[in-house]
Amino acid sequence: MTPFPYNSTTWTPLVRFTVPGPPIPKERPRFSIRNGRPHTRTADRTRQYEEKVQLFARSAMASVPMVPKGVPVRIDLLLVHEMPKTRAKRVRIPGPFYKATKTGGDGDNILKAITDALNGIVYVDDAQISTHRVDAIEVTEFEKARAVVLICVPRAWLHNTVEGVQ
């Protein structure tokens, strides 16, 4: 069973990779004033997760061309969270369950952390993302938490790139 639909007539997969470990949502920026000037910094936890995503994205993009500016991108995320042990004991049915609780962060904040991390690696700017899909599930303890990222591009652009016309 594949978690992503491949039967689209306009989009074709460009790259797919998995980021192991629990998905981390993007936190609010930290503000401070130094020498009378405002400064903004990214929280350490968010920065570390973005660096982890960049590591796996660079590895996956080793033999794939970066999507140039002006080409739309579709991103599909499968966020796999570990089910809290207290609920796992009550739910005795193995398999994935759609996540409906607040544990593990909001899907849109995790999407923001991942799309910001992919700037300059997969695409030039995250403004190129024309559509996205986020599925969040919980699994029992024998499976590991992870984020599966699928980047799709228009079929015509990928065909032109492979042919050398682009």
Side-chain angles (χ1 to χ4, degrees), residues 4-162:
F4 301 110
Y6 285 103
N7 58 358
S8 172
T9 58
T10 57
W11 298 100
T12 188
L14 176 70
V15 68
R16 178 182 175 163
F17 60 94
T18 301
V19 182
I24 307 293
K26 183 149 186 128
E27 297 178 23
R28 295 186 185 275
R30 309 291 186 211
F31 298 100
S32 63
I33 296 179
R34 281 189 239 146
N35 299 330
R37 303 180 102 183
H39 290 275
T40 308
R41 71 175 184 86
T42 304
D44 292 337
R45 183 173 167 222
T46 301
R47 185 178 40 75
Q48 290 170 354
Y49 185 68
E50 288 178 355
E51 289 171 357
K52 184 178 182 180
V53 171
Q54 289 172 350
L55 175 73
F56 288 97
R58 281 192 183 100
S59 175
M61 291 292 292
S63 61
V64 180
M66 184 169 83
V67 181
K69 193 173 185 103
V71 176
V73 174
R74 184 182 94 185
I75 183 167
D76 293 339
L77 291 180
L78 175 64
L79 307 175
V80 181
H81 299 274
E82 286 188 35
M83 186 180 294
K85 291 186 195 265
T86 56
R87 194 164 60 238
K89 288 179 183 177
R90 289 191 314 251
V91 178
R92 303 219 178 222
I93 304 167
F97 298 90
Y98 281 98
K99 184 175 152 323
T101 61
K102 186 90 163 98
T103 59
D106 293 341
D108 58 341
N109 290 336
I110 297 169
L111 173 72
K112 182 65 177 159
I114 291 174
T115 56
D116 284 350
L118 298 179
N119 279 337
I121 297 172
V122 176
Y123 40 75
V124 177
D125 187 22
D126 57 359
Q128 291 175 248
I129 298 172
S130 62
T131 185
H132 63 271
R133 175 181 170 179
V134 179
D135 288 327
I137 62 171
E138 287 183 334
V139 293
T140 54
E141 61 189 45
F142 60 89
E143 294 188 60
K144 298 293 182 195
R146 63 193 176 277
V148 181
V149 182
L150 175 67
I151 305 292
C152 298
V153 293
R155 189 178 307 270
W157 177 79
L158 190 62
H159 177 70
N160 289 341
T161 304
V162 171

